[in-house]
Amino acid sequence: MRLMLRTGVLLAGALTLSSGVVSSERLDAVLERSFADNGQATVDRLQQDPVQQACHHSRSTPPDAATATSLRQERLDAVVFPADGDFLGDWQRGAEVADNGRGLQSSDDPAQPNGGNCYACHQLAPDEVAYGTLGPSLTGYGARGQSEPMLRYTWTKLWDTHAYNLCSHMPRFGAQGILTEQQLKDIMAFLLDPASPVNQDL
Ligand code: HEC
């Protein structure tokens, strides 16, 4: 809710800004007045990092090609691969991480592990009928196999989606410390293990 509110304010702000009515200083002041730290949900989340600064405009004004290429490369170079070279954990634990939509909100216990909330945007196991469609269906993802490039592609996508698609709407699970290395390995297995429900027919 908090994030949705924030997005709404920012979008409204951007629209008004483009018509030249409200200065960015005034917008910042409104944001500062409107929100307060609440547990782990702190107001410093409103500070945009370079990717967010480049991507927060409307679709008709995407970042210029040189900026996009250099930011994408920066994100790609910063990906941390599993220290032991092993990409695949336990798909059963991965299923739980994918299904868990808790974490990072003021009402969540910061001592508990965060979830990936994957079903909010993706279809995964075909017997789960409640899923969002902002992202593509990942049902049958394991058919792509477990070659080294495939493992590295999938890991990178989960670690920092902006490394491939600068203005992606997917969370940066590794780069922002949302999921641990072990949770990411478990999610990788949930996507790629032939025994995972993701890769079964109904
Ligand atoms: C807020 C929405 C959102 C959430 C939550 C989300 N994703 Fe995504 N994801 C997307 C979108 C949108 C795309 C496609 C566009 C892009 O590449 O950014 C995508 C793309 C992907 C891809 C690449 C698909 C392909 O065909 O190569 C994978 C893999 C993926 N997501 C896995 C996950 C997993 C696993 C989780 C949970 C840990 C997750 N996503 C959570 C929005 C989301």
Side-chain angles (χ1 to χ4, degrees), residues 66-80:
T67 307
T69 304
S70 99
L71 280 174
R72 250 195 327 263
Q73 191 61 48
E74 198 181 285
R75 301 321 306 153
L76 199 56
D77 293 343
V79 174
V80 179

Side-chain angles (χ1 to χ4, degrees), residues 116-118 121-122 134-136 138 141 144 153-154 157-158 161 165 168-171 173 179 187 191:
N117 206 15
C118 313
C121 298
H122 294 285
L134 183 63
L138 301 174
Y141 192 85
R144 300 188 197 189
Y153 163 74
T154 307
K157 190 75 196 163
L158 296 175
T161 178
N165 177 5
S168 169
H169 292 145
M170 183 163 142
F173 292 107
L179 299 179
I187 288 270
L191 290 173

Side-chain angles (χ1 to χ4, degrees), residues 92-115:
Q92 280 161 307
R93 286 198 311 246
E96 286 168 24
V97 178
D99 200 30
N100 178 3
R102 304 311 305 251
L104 299 173
Q105 298 176 81
S106 57
S107 52
D108 292 327
D109 177 357
Q112 294 299 317
N114 298 322

